[in-house]
Every structure is written in structure tokens, then in C-alpha cells.
Amino acid sequence: MNLLDIIGPVMVGPSSSHTAGAVKIGRVCHKLLAEKVVRADIFFHGSFLATGKGHGTDKAVVAGLLGMQVDDPAIPHSFEIAEREGLQFTLSGIDLGDVHPNSVKLELTGESGRTLEVIAASIGGGRIEICEIDGLTANFSGDYPTLIVHNIDQPGHVTEVTSMLAHKSVNIATMQLYRASRGGNAAMVIECDQEIPADALKWLERMEGILKVTYLSLL
């Protein structure tokens, strides 16, 4: 734990978890989609649902989807900015079951038609956790360049992906593997110390057995 974990980030809003964390969730999801968000259906769970409106959680998530940082003075005006920029959104409640009380589900559509579904939680001090992507478990913070590869659960895919990263001189910080069932859909979540080149991501997308490649760039 460091000092920022205790005092929270420099931010706009009354709460590091309900406001700053919510902005970060929206911003990370925007970057994962990797294009302008034109449609967002936002579902608040638990404490986010019960007290979020008073903390500006709704405006904070929308601000993040617009690409704002947690200290952007325009956060309170995100609804009006979204209308000007063509971001249509809905806000509603949901019961996500046994998850962190500060959780939200986002169903996003980008300008090209690309879609993304994310469940994320704000875990305090402005820190977040991406818990699920497109129906499969994930567990990452959004603080590192992160590669998410959805693939068919077959031998060889993990080796191909890690070998590609080594060839591009990208060091792996953490790696997690998930699968829905043996031989079914699986996912790799790889946090990296360096950015992954665009040509490497394109190569992955063309590989047989790879269903979807999602990448969080911090640039």
C-alpha cells in the first residue's frame, strides 16, 4: 500500500470509489473498445446503485466513456457533452449477485459496430478491477498495457501468444488463463510491461482458433 491508496487520487468529485473509480472504469472500457463509443447501456449494482447518484457515479462513468481523466473539471457536465458528441446511453439497476458492491456492467457499441461487454468494480482509492469481459472471467487493474485473447480451448494457443510477445520484446507482468469448459471458449489476460505493437495485434486476430483480441493501451 502506498500513500495514494490512503488519500486517494487527485480528482473531481466527492468519492474516490464512487466518482474517481467510476471515471476510471469508463475510461478503461473506452480504451478496451479502442474506438469512439456511440452507445452505452450502463447497469449499476449494489452501493453504486443505492448511493451512486448522490456521488455523481452516473456522470463519472459517462465521463470516462468520453475519455476524460479523473481530474477533468468537465466531469459534472458529461451528460451534456455526451449529447453533443453523439454518445447515447441508458442508466439502470441490476443485481449481479455475489460481486463487489461498487460494481457496474457496461454494454458498449463503437462507431464501427464493434461491441464490448464488461463487468468492473471500484475497489477503493480510485483503484478498479475489470472482472469480466464478454462473458468470460478476467481480473486486471487497468494500470498496465493488457492483452485479452478469446480463443478456442486448444493446445498451442498460449505458446503462440507468449512467443509472439517475446519476439516483440514485450515482458509479461502477469498472466491469467480462464475457460468456460474443456474444449470450449477460453481467455488469456496478460498484463505487460511494454506496449504491444499494432502489427502483432493484427497477427493475433488472423490466427486460427482466435475468436477476439482486445487490447488496453495506456498511450
Side-chain angles (χ1 to χ4, degrees):
M1 180 175 289
N2 60 39
L3 183 61
L4 286 179
D5 293 330
I6 299 171
I7 65 174
V10 177
M11 65 178 199
V12 171
S15 169
S16 61
S17 59
H18 283 67
T19 315
V23 174
K24 187 174 180 182
I25 287 172
R27 181 175 172 82
V28 167
C29 290
H30 175 214
K31 284 185 165 289
L32 286 169
L33 190 64
E35 62 185 56
K36 180 180 178 181
V37 184
V38 297
R39 171 79 185 184
D41 295 306
I42 304 167
F43 305 88
F44 294 110
H45 165 88
S47 180
F48 263 9
L49 176 61
T51 64
K53 190 172 182 61
H55 287 108
T57 305
D58 47 0
K59 293 179 180 179
V61 172
V62 172
L65 292 173
L66 291 166
M68 295 184 196
Q69 298 276 11
V70 298
D71 59 352
D72 195 315
I75 289 171
H77 311 291
S78 63
F79 286 3
E80 296 94 323
I81 296 170
E83 184 176 1
R84 289 202 305 268
E85 296 194 4
L87 168 56
Q88 298 181 329
F89 63 91
T90 64
L91 305 166
S92 56
I94 193 172
D95 183 354
L96 294 171
D98 185 21
V99 299
H100 194 285
N102 296 335
S103 291
V104 59
K105 179 179 181 180
L106 298 99
E107 297 177 354
L108 307 179
T109 303
E111 58 185 347
S112 74
R114 179 180 172 93
T115 61
L116 181 71
E117 182 181 299
V118 174
I119 295 176
S122 176
I123 59 176
R127 295 171 296 135
I128 70 167
E129 182 178 289
I130 303 299
C131 307
E132 188 176 298
I133 292 182
D134 291 332
L136 284 176
T137 300
N139 180 16
F140 64 95
S141 65
D143 294 329
Y144 296 88
T146 304
L147 175 66
I148 304 98
V149 180
H150 288 81
N151 59 280
I152 299 171
D153 182 36
Q154 297 172 333
H157 288 312
V158 173
T159 300
E160 290 170 334
V161 173
T162 55
S163 296
M164 177 276 292
L165 293 175
H167 177 69
K168 295 296 183 179
S169 299
V170 175
N171 191 53
I172 295 174
T174 70
M175 182 173 183
Q176 303 159 69
L177 304 176
Y178 303 96
R179 65 181 184 183
S181 61
R182 184 175 183 177
N185 290 345
M188 298 174 236
V189 179
I190 306 172
E191 293 180 304
C192 302
D193 289 332
Q194 294 86 23
E195 294 283 343
I196 301 174
D199 65 317
L201 298 174
K202 293 293 185 184
W203 179 81
L204 280 178
E205 290 174 345
R206 294 193 297 266
M207 282 178 54
E208 184 177 354
I210 300 300
L211 305 175
K212 185 175 183 180
V213 175
T214 306
Y215 178 59
L216 171 64
S217 171
L218 302 188
L219 297 178

